[in-house]
Amino acid sequence: MTEVNRQFVLVKRPQGLPGPECIEYREGPVPEPGDGEIVVRNLYLSLDPAIRGWMDEGEGYRDPIALGAVVDGVTLGRVVKTRNPDYAEGDLVTGIHGWADYTLSPGSLNSTRVPADPPFPLTAYLGVVGPTGLTAYFGLLDVGKPQAGETVLVSAAAGAVGSIVGQIAVLSGCRAVGLAGTEAKCRWIVDELGFDAAIDYKREGDHLSEAIAKACPQGVDVYFENVGGPVLQAALDNLNVGARIPFCGAISGYNAEAPVPGPTNLWQLLVKRARFEGFLIADFAPRFGEGMEKLSAWVAEGKLRYAEDIVDGLEQAPQAFLKLFDGSHSGKLIVRIAEDA
Amino acid sequence: MTEVNRQFVLVKRPQGLPGPECIEYREGPVPEPGDGEIVVRNLYLSLDPAIRGWMDEGEGYRDPIALGAVVDGVTLGRVVKTRNPDYAEGDLVTGIHGWADYTLSPGSLNSTRVPADPPFPLTAYLGVVGPTGLTAYFGLLDVGKPQAGETVLVSAAAGAVGSIVGQIAVLSGCRAVGLAGTEAKCRWIVDELGFDAAIDYKREGDHLSEAIAKACPQGVDVYFENVGGPVLQAALDNLNVGARIPFCGAISGYNAEAPVPGPTNLWQLLVKRARFEGFLIADFAPRFGEGMEKLSAWVAEGKLRYAEDIVDGLEQAPQAFLKLFDGSHSGKLIVRIAEDA
């Protein structure tokens, strides 16, 4: 076990993509727990688009990462020191522990214990049976309310959340159509994940609206919104009466350096009596148990497949984070910080 | 009774405001009813922003007005000839009978009978106890779901719909804050209609967001959306968590000659887990009876006040219609086509 606590610290708020001038490498001592505290040895770090939003000042749904503070991010780790009676040494925990080897935590909701011997790799706790899967599960089922026989259109469909949304749509008896940015991703979500159809939105360019119409001959009943921009515009063109749009993210705008105008056809929400509704997974915390149980069962039964892109070494985190925004990964992006002891 | 049937016909789809080149005056014979039909003598014509949308090709929630056809519009009239057993001569009816002296109608939903001796002027059937009032009633209560103690922000608050929305909000125990475009309108909605506060959005200009924050110290729980553009943007800045936005119209864009970009801060819907939801009053038709009963009672009890801007003479309709878009009227805009016999 290294005695140095490697960390990445936010030193400058990014304009556009966060470059090396924004995220600084530092080393510090391994923390010692105070009364009621624990120290977590982080094993895996989840890289999520939302982190980019947390780097910005204001307008967010949580306090921005302070300048000089460790970059926030969900990790899976083990308790290595404890002065909190609710935790034993060796407990597996997840929480927003940040881009660091070791994290001092007050426990409780900041570090949630997870079962030690799951029927799947531990990394699934950061993805398909963790925040990613829960986002897909509650966003699609509770906000989108898909009915069997309906059509569910998913943006960023080869991404961590989108790939699960489409599979849950299929498990709910819906037609799942995915939007992805390469032919390989399109093939993957159809051939491996069981989406009914896929659209390469980059290839379609200005004809995306027509391509959606073709892939969704019965129209779109649920559009799972991850991206914003021209994709949202094209989706709005194809809504059915009474459509629902769970609003999970808008990655196309996260690194914009100027305000990005919204779609010109919001009017379609009125024409189609449609509902555009934002949600945050934290609001569903009281039901996480239900969601994890369902997701775990689907994974165990082979009904829910997932891909991981695991990058080795905490030192790779800043560079790997950029892959979220250039479309060069599929599935859940995770940094392996350390081998599990 | 004149024997000429004066009509206004759409001859060209407008770019921007509909000028004389788009709406042509014609005279024709008074129609004769075929089997099952009635002829309605229109007395009052309701001028509504939605008519502007019906003049455009495509993208609408109903078929556009055909070129060469009488301009659509809701009227109140009397049946003067009937070959339909459900209607007697003299019956009062409302329906989308158009900008004309006389209308041939198949009856049924096209011409809804209304009580002959209401405890209010007949014109109220076109406004506060007609489509306008029903739009406010169902849009606010069913889509907006205001709870007592919440803050309801209303755009176009001195307009026909908005002025009723704010009063129903107050009747529901909410704080009602109205956005209007002149100081006189602001005074009217506060002093006469009982809104808790009003904001002159033209005077506030670029500081509208701050003005809303000041007038809504507890934030905005329901934003009743009639206008779009910078007003929508400023409202989105001030949403509370769980806010609802009934989307009734977007008058700021109706005469735009190019696509109007949406707000740059749609992201606020996610941050605030808010719901932006379009509705059409026609979808509530099965419950119109309930709504009219409630609205009539409020009017009769003096709890719901309304203003009408009555323009004399069908020939004034095209010019009067433009008043909807330059902010030069308050309350419900109606053309008196003929004196009731």
Side-chain angles (χ1 to χ4, degrees):
Chain A
M1 194 183 293
T2 170
E3 289 306 295
V4 172
N5 185 15
R6 298 171 301 160
Q7 307 167 5
F8 283 102
V9 170
L10 186 71
V11 293
K12 183 173 180 294
R13 303 214 174 275
Q15 296 287 320
L17 288 168
E21 74 286 4
C22 299
I23 300 175
E24 201 170 283
Y25 176 79
R26 291 195 190 161
E27 295 183 352
V30 178
E32 284 299 321
D35 197 35
E37 293 181 327
I38 58 175
V39 172
V40 178
R41 193 329 162 205
N42 297 308
L43 301 173
Y44 295 100
L45 165 66
S46 172
L47 292 179
D48 301 286
I51 297 171
R52 176 62 189 82
W54 304 345
M55 293 177 179
D56 288 337
E57 193 100 59
E59 297 233 359
Y61 49 84
R62 67 195 294 277
D63 286 339
I65 300 168
L67 290 180
V70 172
V71 178
D72 282 334
V74 176
T75 75
L76 177 76
R78 282 199 190 273
V79 176
V80 288
K81 300 182 184 181
T82 172
R83 291 187 60 192
N84 182 321
D86 295 339
Y87 296 81
E89 219 172 284
D91 279 356
L92 268 181
V93 291
T94 66
I96 301 184
H97 296 134
W99 297 19
D101 279 314
Y102 294 93
T103 307
L104 190 67
S105 164
S108 182
L109 286 177
N110 289 73
S111 302
T112 307
R113 257 203 318 272
V114 295
D117 293 304
F120 40 71
L122 287 183
T123 48
Y125 283 129
L126 294 179
V128 64
V129 296
T132 309
L134 292 167
T135 298
Y137 182 88
F138 290 108
L140 177 64
L141 297 182
D142 275 70
V143 185
K145 297 190 198 306
Q147 306 297 308
E150 290 191 330
T151 297
V152 175
L153 179 69
V154 186
S155 58
V161 171
S163 60
I164 301 173
V165 169
Q167 293 180 83
I168 298 178
V170 171
L171 288 167
S172 306
C174 296
R175 176 176 172 80
V177 177
L179 295 152
T182 67
E183 206 192 321
K185 290 179 182 182
C186 286
R187 267 200 311 271
W188 178 63
I189 64 173
V190 171
D191 296 347
E192 302 293 321
L193 304 187
F195 279 62
D196 295 283
I199 300 167
D200 180 343
Y201 73 88
K202 286 187 180 159
R203 197 189 61 195
E204 298 298 342
D206 290 344
H207 303 286
L208 183 55
S209 180
E210 294 85 337
I212 293 172
K214 205 171 150 193
C216 305
Q218 313 293 319
V220 174
D221 299 293
V222 178
Y223 168 59
F224 197 94
E225 163 65 331
N226 280 316
V227 300
V231 176
L232 171 59
Q233 173 109 10
L236 288 170
D237 281 341
N238 286 281
L239 298 181
N240 281 336
V241 168
R244 288 82 66 198
I245 306 180
F247 182 11
C248 177
I251 196 169
S252 73
Y254 288 179
N255 292 293
E257 300 187 22
V260 180
T264 62
N265 59 348
L266 274 181
W267 179 244
Q268 286 300 317
L269 294 177
L270 192 152
V271 170
K272 300 299 172 51
R273 295 81 117 184
R275 176 162 56 81
F276 191 14
E277 186 168 359
F279 71 97
L280 286 180
I281 190 58
D283 293 337
F284 292 91
R287 292 174 56 203
F288 280 177
E290 166 204 333
M292 289 180 73
E293 200 172 311
K294 199 87 187 194
L295 292 160
S296 303
W298 281 331
V299 171
E301 295 163 21
K303 290 180 175 168
L304 195 53
R305 308 184 71 171
Y306 62 101
E308 293 173 336
D309 183 345
I310 298 186
V311 176
D312 252 307
L314 177 62
E315 67 280 7
Q316 301 298 327
Q319 199 54 40
F321 184 60
L322 302 179
K323 292 170 72 172
L324 290 169
F325 305 105
D326 67 8
S328 69
H329 77 298
S330 282
K332 180 72 198 174
L333 187 59
I334 291 174
V335 173
R336 183 187 286 118
I337 299 178
E339 293 294 335
D340 195 12
Chain B
M1 196 183 294
T2 169
E3 289 305 294
V4 172
N5 185 16
R6 298 172 299 161
Q7 307 167 5
F8 284 101
V9 170
L10 186 71
V11 293
K12 182 173 181 296
R13 302 214 175 272
Q15 297 286 322
L17 288 168
E21 74 287 3
C22 299
I23 300 175
E24 201 171 281
Y25 176 79
R26 289 195 191 160
E27 294 184 351
V30 178
E32 284 299 320
D35 198 33
E37 293 181 327
I38 60 175
V39 172
V40 178
R41 192 332 160 203
N42 296 310
L43 301 173
Y44 295 100
L45 165 66
S46 173
L47 293 179
D48 301 287
I51 297 171
R52 177 62 189 82
W54 304 346
M55 294 177 177
D56 288 337
E57 194 101 59
E59 297 234 358
Y61 51 84
R62 66 195 294 276
D63 286 339
I65 301 168
L67 289 181
V70 172
V71 178
D72 282 335
V74 175
T75 75
L76 177 77
R78 281 196 190 276
V79 176
V80 289
K81 299 179 186 182
T82 172
R83 290 185 62 191
N84 180 321
D86 294 338
Y87 295 81
E89 219 172 282
D91 279 356
L92 269 181
V93 292
T94 66
I96 302 182
H97 296 132
W99 297 18
D101 279 314
Y102 294 93
T103 306
L104 191 67
S105 163
S108 181
L109 286 178
N110 289 74
S111 302
T112 307
R113 260 203 317 271
V114 295
D117 294 305
F120 39 71
L122 287 182
T123 47
Y125 283 129
L126 294 179
V128 64
V129 296
T132 309
L134 292 166
T135 298
Y137 182 88
F138 290 109
L140 177 63
L141 297 182
D142 275 69
V143 185
K145 298 193 198 305
Q147 306 297 310
E150 289 191 331
T151 297
V152 175
L153 178 69
V154 186
S155 58
V161 172
S163 60
I164 301 172
V165 169
Q167 292 180 84
I168 298 177
V170 171
L171 289 168
S172 306
C174 295
R175 174 175 174 82
V177 177
L179 295 152
T182 67
E183 204 192 321
K185 289 179 181 180
C186 286
R187 268 201 309 272
W188 178 64
I189 63 174
V190 171
D191 296 347
E192 302 294 319
L193 304 187
F195 280 61
D196 294 283
I199 299 166
D200 180 343
Y201 72 88
K202 287 187 180 160
R203 198 191 58 193
E204 298 297 341
D206 290 345
H207 303 285
L208 184 54
S209 180
E210 293 85 338
I212 292 173
K214 204 171 150 191
C216 304
Q218 311 293 320
V220 174
D221 299 292
V222 178
Y223 168 59
F224 197 94
E225 163 64 332
N226 280 316
V227 301
V231 176
L232 171 59
Q233 173 109 11
L236 288 171
D237 281 340
N238 286 282
L239 298 181
N240 282 336
V241 168
R244 290 80 67 197
I245 306 180
F247 182 11
C248 178
I251 195 170
S252 72
Y254 288 179
N255 292 292
E257 300 186 20
V260 180
T264 61
N265 59 347
L266 274 180
W267 179 246
Q268 286 300 318
L269 294 177
L270 191 151
V271 170
K272 301 300 174 52
R273 297 81 118 181
R275 176 162 55 80
F276 191 15
E277 185 168 1
F279 71 97
L280 286 179
I281 189 58
D283 293 336
F284 292 91
R287 292 174 56 201
F288 280 177
E290 165 204 333
M292 289 179 72
E293 199 173 310
K294 199 87 187 195
L295 292 160
S296 303
W298 280 331
V299 172
E301 295 163 21
K303 290 180 177 166
L304 195 54
R305 309 184 70 169
Y306 62 101
E308 293 173 336
D309 183 345
I310 298 186
V311 176
D312 251 307
L314 178 61
E315 66 281 6
Q316 301 299 326
Q319 198 54 41
F321 184 60
L322 301 181
K323 292 170 71 171
L324 290 170
F325 304 104
D326 67 9
S328 68
H329 77 296
S330 281
K332 180 73 198 173
L333 187 59
I334 292 174
V335 173
R336 183 187 285 117
I337 299 177
E339 292 294 334
D340 195 14

